Amino acid sequence: MTVTHENDQTRQNDAPRTDGETRRTDRTPRTRVDELHAGAGALGPAAIEDHLRDPEPEVRAAAVDALAGAARRGDDVPRGTGDALAWALADEHRDVRRAAAGLLRDLPEVYFGDDGVKALLLAAARGREEDVRATAAELLAGLTAGAGELYAQGLHDGEAHLRVQAVLGLISLHAVDQVAEAADDPAREVRVAVAEGLARLARPAGLPALEGLLADHDPVVRMAALDAAAELGVPEPLEGRVVISIAHSSWQVRRRAAFALAEADPDTAVQPLVSALRDRIVDVRRAAVQALEQWASDRPEVVTALTEALTDPDPGVRTQVRWALA
């Protein structure tokens, strides 16, 4: 079995269209099942794929059987079939789920788009039967090993924009380890893509790499890592790096750190944010007020700090403090 990943645009461009004469709405479910059993080869793979989305479970099961027969005969299987079969693993009917799992294991080559990858992830985590979960996990492993190997090779390309595309491909495969390995890429844009990807993947395995990006020498990368930490709720392994960033030489980094601390535990965030109320840059002080506002009702030290900030030289900061205290 060979599994191949492709993006949605490629799949949409390549997938054959269903002929109007084979539309399922023109016949009864029994007729559609008989048609699949008797003339699957004449229908063509695109029409069979259309039957995989039929509202009747017996038609969907017959479509899976027809695809199995087409594959054994060596007929071409449309690329969109992989996604349809992946979603069939979550079908409400047990026979359809089991049949789809069996066919996915037996097909010599299977193409999956981003939609199919999402379906496999869902089936691997929440499949109703053990063999369905195992099939989805096996296919995902094949994607990561196959397409992931190609994307991993792309991480060594001489062009930075191609390495960015390789990172995006690995993110779509949820290959967190390979994404993390690109965190030391010499190109800023690649490291930014890694930070954003680690936030999307939200896996503990990605935290060490994200911690390193929070100490990156490039302020742009550091800001991307701060945004990623905020999106993850500033987990404990990242707290120290985020707190340190509130004193960075770049005011843009300090401002972004203040916003990130708004998502952190108050025991960690309050004191650095109180200190940021005295920052020399107005935008940083405004970000600190905005972050502290959520704790103004139950943290006395926040009320005290905000009250003192009512004397801030910037009228915009003073107005924002009044709103926070109100």
Side-chain angles (χ1 to χ4, degrees), residues 11 48 112 160:
R11 176 171 56 80
I48 298 174
F112 294 105

Side-chain angles (χ1 to χ4, degrees), residues 18-19 25 44 50 75 104 116 130 160 204 307 315:
T18 302
D19 183 55
T25 54
D50 186 56
D75 296 346
L104 284 169
E130 182 178 354
T307 301

Side-chain angles (χ1 to χ4, degrees), residues 72-85:
R72 284 190 289 269
R73 291 191 303 272
D75 296 346
D76 291 334
V77 178
R79 294 192 172 189
T81 300
D83 290 355
L85 288 172

Side-chain angles (χ1 to χ4, degrees), residues 8-320:
D8 285 337
Q9 188 61 48
T10 301
R11 176 171 56 80
Q12 290 169 2
N13 291 339
D14 291 348
R17 300 293 187 264
T18 302
D19 183 55
E21 294 180 359
T22 64
R23 293 189 182 278
R24 58 177 174 252
T25 54
D26 295 338
R27 298 170 305 285
T28 66
R30 184 67 257 171
T31 301
R32 299 198 295 275
V33 170
D34 292 341
E35 179 182 66
L36 284 163
H37 286 160
L43 283 177
I48 298 174
E49 181 191 347
D50 186 56
H51 284 73
L52 286 170
R53 300 176 176 85
D54 195 280
E56 299 298 331
E58 63 267 32
V59 177
R60 299 195 300 274
V64 172
D65 290 340
L67 275 177
R72 284 190 289 269
R73 291 191 303 272
D75 296 346
D76 291 334
V77 178
R79 294 192 172 189
T81 300
D83 290 355
L85 288 172
W87 281 110
L89 295 175
D91 195 275
E92 62 184 14
H93 199 280
R94 182 176 182 274
D95 290 346
V96 179
R97 297 194 300 269
R98 301 293 292 271
L103 179 54
L104 284 169
R105 287 193 299 268
D106 295 339
L107 280 177
E109 186 170 274
V110 188
Y111 293 90
F112 294 105
D114 293 338
D115 196 47
V117 173
K118 293 176 184 177
L120 291 176
L121 288 166
L122 181 64
R126 303 180 185 178
R128 302 185 192 183
E129 291 85 26
E130 182 178 354
D131 63 331
V132 170
R133 294 192 299 272
T135 297
E138 180 183 350
L139 291 166
L140 287 169
L143 283 172
T144 302
E149 182 177 348
L150 294 176
Y151 287 133
Q153 292 174 1
L155 293 177
H156 303 288
D157 195 281
E159 298 291 335
H161 72 277
L162 294 178
R163 299 201 301 277
V164 169
Q165 292 302 312
V167 169
L168 296 177
L170 290 167
I171 292 168
S172 70
L173 294 177
H174 293 245
V176 63
D177 291 336
Q178 289 92 331
V179 172
E181 289 176 5
D184 59 353
D185 191 279
R188 165 202 287 180
E189 56 267 43
V190 176
R191 301 198 302 279
V192 167
V194 170
E196 294 172 347
L198 293 175
R200 283 178 55 190
L201 295 176
R203 303 285 181 81
L207 293 183
L210 190 54
E211 183 180 5
L213 292 172
L214 284 167
D216 197 277
H217 67 277
D218 191 308
V220 173
V221 177
R222 202 158 187 168
M223 286 188 286
L226 285 166
D227 290 344
E231 191 171 338
L232 295 174
V234 190
E236 185 177 354
L238 306 182
E239 289 178 343
R241 295 290 191 185
V242 175
V243 170
I244 290 173
S245 296
I246 202 74
H248 194 270
S249 58
S250 166
W251 71 265
Q252 292 97 333
V253 172
R254 299 198 302 275
R255 176 175 177 270
R256 207 69 67 92
F259 285 132
L261 285 171
E263 307 301 326
D265 184 275
D267 291 336
T268 298
V270 166
Q271 188 53 52
L273 288 170
V274 168
S275 299
L277 291 174
R278 299 185 291 273
D279 196 280
R280 67 181 184 278
I281 301 298
V282 170
D283 285 346
V284 178
R285 301 200 299 275
R286 289 179 177 177
V289 172
Q290 184 175 334
L292 287 167
E293 180 178 354
Q294 62 185 309
W295 298 305
S297 61
D298 56 359
R299 307 280 299 208
E301 68 272 35
V302 172
V303 175
T304 299
L306 290 175
T307 301
E308 293 174 354
L310 286 170
T311 61
D312 191 281
D314 181 76
V317 173
R318 296 196 300 271
T319 298
Q320 194 167 354

